[in-house]
Amino acid sequence: MSFRMDPNIIISEIDAHSEATGLKPTTICQKALGNARLYDRMKRRACKYAEEARALRAWMAANSPKEQSTGTLK
């Protein structure tokens, strides 16, 4: 069974916990996983993922399966 999670979900959960406890998100990651830099990396990856998803969707929309079967793939 595969488990996929939108990175924005855990980032939001960390942000909510940070707000409720007064701990910085980096402190939460440090205490939980021993990695204070994880929070910033997750935020950068989430942004990069969103950019890549937009580019992939645009390409797939411009290159529909019907175009592939007729040989007009761009």
Side-chain angles (χ1 to χ4, degrees), residues 8 11 19 21-22 24 48 56 62-63:
N8 291 305
I11 291 168
E19 185 71 30
T21 62
K24 293 180 181 178
K48 181 71 173 163
L56 285 164
N63 296 279

Side-chain angles (χ1 to χ4, degrees), residues 4 21 25 29 40 49 69:
R4 294 184 290 168
T21 62
C29 291
D40 291 329
Y49 174 80
S69 66

Side-chain angles (χ1 to χ4, degrees), residues 39-53:
Y39 179 76
D40 291 329
R41 278 199 338 256
M42 284 192 307
K43 288 187 80 163
R44 283 192 308 272
R45 279 187 292 204
C47 182
K48 181 71 173 163
Y49 174 80
E51 292 170 11
E52 291 168 344

Side-chain angles (χ1 to χ4, degrees), residues 13-15 17-19 21-43:
E13 291 174 6
I14 292 169
D15 289 341
H17 191 80
S18 172
E19 185 71 30
T21 62
L23 293 171
K24 293 180 181 178
T26 53
T27 302
I28 293 168
C29 291
Q30 176 63 38
K31 290 181 176 285
L33 300 170
N35 185 350
R37 294 180 293 191
L38 177 65
Y39 179 76
D40 291 329
R41 278 199 338 256
M42 284 192 307
K43 288 187 80 163

Side-chain angles (χ1 to χ4, degrees), residues 53-74:
R54 278 191 294 275
L56 285 164
R57 286 182 178 126
W59 186 90
M60 289 186 288
N63 296 279
S64 70
K66 184 176 178 181
E67 289 175 341
Q68 290 181 10
S69 66
T70 60
T72 59
L73 182 64
K74 296 178 184 178

